[in-house]
Amino acid sequence: MFSFFKKKISPKTELKKILKGYELPSFPAVVMQILQKIRSPYSSAATIAESLALDPGISVKVLRIANSAAFSPTKKVENLTQAVALVGISQLESLVLGVGVAQGMPRQACQWHDPALFWLASAKRAVLASELARYLCPAKESECFTAAFLQDLALPFLACHRSKDYGPIFEKWHLEGGDLAELEREKLPWDHTEVASWICSEWGLPENIAAAIRGHHGAEVPDYQALAPVRLVAILREEETNSGMDELIETAGTLYSLEMEKVEAMVAPAFEKAKDLARMIV
């Protein structure tokens, strides 16, 4: 259980305070309906496809993703039922959840937030976390994908609505590296993982994903939710010239005994898939 429940903190109140009065948009109701259908044990690929068809925008994205390099279909996927069967229930939930969150995120560029770069970096983290999970926690592969994709969901809100005092933190992180949450705590009474957990609460996102996001910089969460791949990819930054990849590879070896060559071999294919994903999910 998160600390804001223990302290009876209202996520809505905290978010308005931190984001200078900005009202967080509601999570799309149609996306929540689709997610409920996906999670139902009584749903078939056909009934899930029917629920996806309620939102043409999501339907188009799911079809495009099913036909992308990420899933490498042997022949073109032409309808939603085929797409559901190919993508799989757990991965489909991740993708639909990602699309729903993307719809509520700031779309405008502001200092230290370029939407295209942000979603590309998010997709890189997601795909690489999924690859790392095959070695570190195979049963959590889909969960790692989702939590890694959404782990920095608070940053666009902070960059665009708390820019005056958050800008210098962003700048230092992008230019010098280091642990973003530690840099935030040096200047502020909260960090982006805590803000993200409040956003998750407001949007009714799954608690296991919210906990993994809350713990991706080392905050205390239940052991089964402290997902190693999600923490590893948190090292990655948007800057191509200072991406944090060397640090990630070193940390993977030091903390999780992953061979350098094995991690290096994952990167290029994962990032190629991420380019497709970033273009299609938002």
Side-chain angles (χ1 to χ4, degrees), residues 5 11 17 72 102 129 138 150 181 183 190 236 255 281:
F5 289 123
K17 187 193 310 179
S72 305
L150 301 179
L183 295 174
W190 41 263
L236 295 179
L255 294 185
I281 206 162

Side-chain angles (χ1 to χ4, degrees), residues 8 20 24-25 30 62 75 139 168 179 197 210 218 223 251 262 264 281:
K8 296 184 179 178
K20 305 295 186 181
L24 191 72
V30 67
V62 169
K75 60 181 180 178
D179 186 283
S197 72
D223 287 344
T251 304
K262 188 174 288 185
E264 287 177 339
I281 206 162

Side-chain angles (χ1 to χ4, degrees), residues 112-153:
W112 300 108
H113 174 60
D114 178 318
L117 288 178
F118 172 81
W119 287 112
L120 178 57
S122 298
K124 286 179 177 179
R125 293 188 190 105
V127 179
L128 186 54
S130 179
E131 295 293 327
L132 289 164
R134 294 181 184 180
Y135 295 93
L136 297 175
C137 48
K140 299 284 186 179
E141 188 177 336
S142 180
E143 190 173 331
C144 286
F145 177 96
T146 307
F149 187 71
L150 301 179
Q151 66 179 207
D152 281 347
L153 68 89

Side-chain angles (χ1 to χ4, degrees), residues 10 16 77 93 95 102-103 123 131 167 211 221 242 255 263-264:
S10 162
K16 286 188 71 172
V77 177
E93 181 178 357
L95 295 173
Q103 289 181 8
E131 295 293 327
V221 294
N242 189 24
L255 294 185
V263 179
E264 287 177 339

